[in-house]
């Protein structure tokens, strides 16, 4: 059985006191025990959030990390730094990192390899732009993102991989992929993993959907057989909405 996961990507939002308030609301909420819940705060709040969630079943992940061990990389944060805040999971390859901070497939595979070496689990994001979807190039595009990054990994490394399919045109726009569009891409990705590695591995990998997941659409999206959860941006900043989304399974 694949893990069901709902991760909240808080992006660059919330002061420490706003985060404390959100955490208090989440800690006081009920989540189904079979769903893994993850929150992804900013770098400066990783330690604070980890500490506060220690005796709960909510996990914490970082939104990014650098590939180098240490050194002259002003403004960056390493795998070891993340681990020293108690964090063992990171998002990598989010479309905002790719488009706004020029993170290429080559940079991303370096990051993923560092994470794997450090035993950090990776939520690896892929997804096409609107133009690719309109020109019906979306499958090819996502395939090339995978082939140039995590498909370069040996099979053993996949123990620590979660995939998030996030069509860029649906992120923060209020527009979502339809449940059928999400299912179609998730199945496509799973079949690619099966062809590249094997069916058992493909069956074991959680593939999350991201892009304007809200309480009113989560149920239909999560009901699809190849959708194993969500990577939620905007709606994860509101405890009530986030809790509703987790409970939509
Ligand atoms: P959104 O963001 O839910 O606000 O669209 C999703 C994401 O970027 O992970």
């Amino acid at each position: 059985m694949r893990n069901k996961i709902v991760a909240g990507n808080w992006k660059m939002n919330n002061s420490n006191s706003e985060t404390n308030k959100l955490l208090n609301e989440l800690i006081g909420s009920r989540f189904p025990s079979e769903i893994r819940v993850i929150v992804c705060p900013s770098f400066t709040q990783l330690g604070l959030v980890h500490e506060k969630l220690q005796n709960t079943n909510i996990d914490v992940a970082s939104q990014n990390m650098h590939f180098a061990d240490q050194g002259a990389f002003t403004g960056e944060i390493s795998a070891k730094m993340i681990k020293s805040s108690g964090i063992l999971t990171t998002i990598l390859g989010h479309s905002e990192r790719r488009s706004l901070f020029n993170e290429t497939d080559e940079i991303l595979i370096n990051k993923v390899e560092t994470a794997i070496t450090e035993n950090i689990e990776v939520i690896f994001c892929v997804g096409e732009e609107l133009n690719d979807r309109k020109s019906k190039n979306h499958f090819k595009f996502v395939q090339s993102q995978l082939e140039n990054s995590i498909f370069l990994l040996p099979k053993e490394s996949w123990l620590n991989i979660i995939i998030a399919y996030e069509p860029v045109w649906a992120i923060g726009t209020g527009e979502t992929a339809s449940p059928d569009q999400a299912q179609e891409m998730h199945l496509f990705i799973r079949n690619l993993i099966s062809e590249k590695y094997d069916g058992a591995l493909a069956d074991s990998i959680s593939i999350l959907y991201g892009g304007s997941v809200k309480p009113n659409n989560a149920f239909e999206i999560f009901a699809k057989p190849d959708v194993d959860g969500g990577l939620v941006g905007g709606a994860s900043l509101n405890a009530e909405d986030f809790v509703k989304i987790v409970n939509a399974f």
Side-chain angles (χ1 to χ4, degrees):
M1 265 295 269
R2 292 191 287 275
N3 286 333
K4 294 182 168 174
I5 301 166
V6 178
N9 175 10
W10 294 351
K11 307 192 181 182
M12 197 176 75
N13 290 293
N14 284 356
S15 64
N16 286 4
S17 66
E18 287 165 329
T19 286
N20 259 316
K21 180 171 173 284
L22 179 55
L23 289 175
N24 287 338
E25 289 167 350
L26 293 179
I27 291 167
S29 302
R30 278 178 175 269
F31 296 112
S33 57
E34 72 277 15
I35 314 287
R36 183 172 168 208
V37 179
I38 306 176
V39 293
C40 313
S42 68
F43 286 150
T44 59
Q45 296 178 351
L46 287 176
L48 153 92
V49 175
H50 171 69
E51 200 150 303
K52 190 133 180 166
L53 292 179
Q54 237 170 10
N55 295 315
T56 72
N57 48 12
I58 305 175
D59 284 344
V60 188
S62 140
Q63 297 174 16
N64 185 27
M65 55 160 246
H66 199 266
F67 55 77
D69 251 13
Q70 60 177 52
F73 298 100
T74 303
E76 291 292 334
I77 183 161
S78 70
K80 287 196 169 69
M81 290 169 172
I82 291 169
K83 274 168 73 173
S84 68
S85 293
I87 310 302
L88 294 171
T89 305
T90 187
I91 299 175
L92 289 176
H94 190 280
S95 67
E96 286 149 20
R97 298 298 316 172
R98 292 175 188 262
S99 66
L100 303 174
F101 301 96
N102 304 320
E103 292 194 5
T104 59
D105 290 331
E106 198 187 346
I107 291 173
L108 290 171
I109 186 61
N110 283 335
K111 290 187 174 202
V112 172
E113 279 172 346
T114 301
I116 302 288
T117 306
E118 292 292 336
N119 269 319
I120 292 182
E121 178 185 48
V122 175
I123 302 174
F124 190 77
C125 304
V126 293
E128 80 284 358
E129 307 260 350
L130 187 57
N131 279 345
D132 298 302
R133 168 81 42 187
K134 279 189 173 155
S135 57
K136 302 200 185 326
N137 194 40
H138 45 295
F139 291 117
K140 264 204 177 131
F141 185 85
V142 169
Q143 181 168 358
S144 93
Q145 283 183 322
L146 290 166
E147 280 173 351
N148 293 323
S149 57
I150 52 177
F151 278 15
L152 300 171
L153 295 171
K155 188 177 160 192
E156 315 80 77
S157 300
W158 279 71
L159 273 177
N160 269 336
I161 299 284
I162 297 164
I163 294 178
Y165 167 57
E166 299 206 304
V168 179
W169 48 272
I171 296 178
T173 58
E175 233 182 276
T176 12
S178 69
D180 286 341
Q181 285 173 323
Q183 166 59 22
E184 186 182 44
M185 184 60 87
H186 285 222
L187 180 61
F188 175 73
I189 293 171
R190 205 176 299 288
N191 286 339
L192 288 177
I193 301 170
S194 179
E195 280 162 29
K196 167 82 190 162
Y197 298 92
D198 59 57
L201 179 72
D203 270 346
S204 72
I205 297 296
S206 297
I207 307 179
L208 316 183
Y209 169 79
S212 298
V213 176
K214 307 284 178 209
N216 63 3
N217 59 25
F219 178 80
E220 275 188 295
I221 296 172
F222 294 168
K224 293 293 177 187
D226 287 286
V227 178
D228 307 306
L231 180 55
V232 184
S236 69
L237 295 168
N238 177 298
E240 199 184 328
D241 284 352
F242 188 60
V243 172
K244 278 189 189 153
I245 291 170
V246 178
N247 281 283
F249 263 111

